[in-house]
């Protein structure tokens, strides 16, 4: 699958101004990147690569679309707080990017995600709910990340993530991850079991001792 840069524009947000880049794959699926302090358009050819390498690696967050969390403020997950905290951190840093990937519900789509929600309402965890629907526990792919980062001249990052799979995927595809920056925000009693499943069954790097919710420390 190949990815093509389409266009870019300025995007003012409550966290500050970002450069918004749009990419499209062979199937017409769109992904976007929000960047700060990285080359845009013709700036790429004018950038001094030596100077860029002397700066700290940019902060980067790979964030898969979550309509319920990002737009509706759902308490069932931590996606919305993660996105907003990453935007704030990158603005404060002055150099970085968010790769916003259009793969809702860990890649199973919005309808199947809500079907999985219904099973979670019956007491099943997020992983088992997907499997009960005959779907993968996690269907996300990250092959678009390296081309998106290459567009802004980035081949080394400090990656904001708790998911070691994202570190491994970038490394495999030629992007050096010089540091993993943990991102544990938005913990509440409605999503504690969801986070525990990510930690205990999906290998996410979440420290039990961090949490105050009693049922996360069982």
């Amino acid at each position: 699958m190949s990815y093509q840069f389409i266009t870019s524009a300025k995007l003012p947000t409550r966290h500050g101004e970002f450069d918004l880049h749009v990419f499209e794959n062979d199937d017409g699926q769109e992904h976007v990147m929000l960047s700060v302090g990285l080359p845009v358009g013709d700036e790429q050819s004018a950038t001094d690569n030596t100077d860029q390498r002397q700066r700290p690696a940019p902060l980067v967050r790979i964030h898969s679309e979550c309509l319920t969390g990002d737009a509706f403020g759902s308490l069932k997950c931590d996606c919305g707080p993660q996105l907003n905290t990453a935007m704030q951190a990158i603005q404060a840093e002055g150099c970085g990017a968010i790769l916003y990937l259009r793969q809702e519900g860990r890649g199973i789509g919005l309808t199947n995600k809500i079907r999985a929600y219904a099973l979670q309402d019956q007491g099943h965890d997020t992983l088992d709910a997907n499997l009960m629907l005959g779907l993968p526990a996690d269907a996300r792919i990250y092959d678009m990340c390296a081309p998106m980062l290459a567009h802004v001249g980035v081949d080394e990052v400090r990656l904001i993530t708790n998911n070691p799979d994202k570190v491994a995927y970038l490394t495999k595809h030629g992007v050096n991850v010089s540091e993993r920056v943990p991102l544990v925000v938005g913990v509440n009693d409605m999503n504690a079991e969801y986070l525990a499943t990510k930690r205990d069954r999906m290998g996410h790097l979440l420290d039990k001792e961090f949490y105050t919710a009693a049922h996360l420390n069982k």
Side-chain angles (χ1 to χ4, degrees):
M1 184 73 70
S2 62
Y3 295 86
Q4 179 182 3
F5 167 70
I6 303 299
T7 189
S8 63
K10 299 293 183 182
L11 181 69
T13 77
R14 60 182 172 138
H15 304 298
E17 185 175 85
F18 290 86
D19 294 307
L20 175 65
H21 314 256
V22 180
F23 300 80
E24 189 175 283
N25 65 18
D26 298 334
D27 295 331
Q29 185 182 40
E30 298 165 326
H31 303 282
V32 300
M33 174 169 58
L34 298 174
S35 71
V36 174
L38 296 172
V40 180
D42 293 340
E43 294 177 13
Q44 178 62 55
S45 59
T47 299
D48 187 324
N49 290 330
T50 302
D51 287 346
Q52 198 167 3
R53 288 193 179 95
Q54 290 174 348
R55 303 172 191 162
L59 279 175
V60 170
R61 165 78 180 160
I62 299 172
H63 190 94
S64 294
E65 180 179 43
C66 176
L67 177 67
T68 50
D70 298 342
F72 299 153
S74 170
L75 297 178
K76 290 174 69 72
C77 65
D78 56 344
C79 301
Q82 284 190 321
L83 177 61
N84 283 283
T85 302
M87 292 174 72
Q88 293 167 2
I90 288 167
Q91 281 288 342
E93 184 77 8
C95 184
I98 293 174
L99 310 186
Y100 194 88
L101 309 182
R102 307 297 300 280
Q103 40 189 12
E104 178 74 49
R106 294 183 186 153
I108 66 174
L110 180 60
T111 298
N112 283 326
K113 174 181 173 178
I114 303 309
R115 288 178 176 143
Y117 272 7
L119 291 172
Q120 293 167 37
D121 290 342
Q122 299 171 23
H124 304 286
D125 70 23
T126 53
L127 190 153
D128 284 337
N130 280 24
L131 298 179
M132 291 170 69
L133 293 170
L135 301 167
D138 191 340
R140 290 175 295 181
I141 59 173
Y142 302 105
D143 58 351
M144 67 289 285
C145 295
M148 292 170 80
L149 290 170
H151 177 73
V152 289
V154 171
D155 59 10
E156 181 177 359
V157 302
R158 289 175 290 148
L159 190 64
I160 305 173
T161 189
N162 305 318
N163 186 351
D165 289 346
K166 293 180 181 178
V167 176
Y169 202 96
L170 285 186
T171 301
K172 180 180 177 181
H173 287 80
V175 179
N176 180 40
V177 180
S178 61
E179 180 184 1
R180 183 187 70 84
V181 181
L183 181 62
V184 184
V185 292
V187 181
N188 65 77
D189 287 341
M190 297 294 293
N191 65 21
E193 293 294 344
Y194 160 87
L195 292 170
T197 297
K198 289 207 293 188
R199 180 193 66 202
D200 298 337
R201 301 191 64 191
M202 304 185 75
H204 288 216
L205 303 174
L206 299 169
D207 189 344
K208 291 183 180 182
E209 295 179 357
F210 181 90
Y211 299 100
T212 57
H215 45 312
L216 262 183
N217 294 306
K218 63 185 180 182

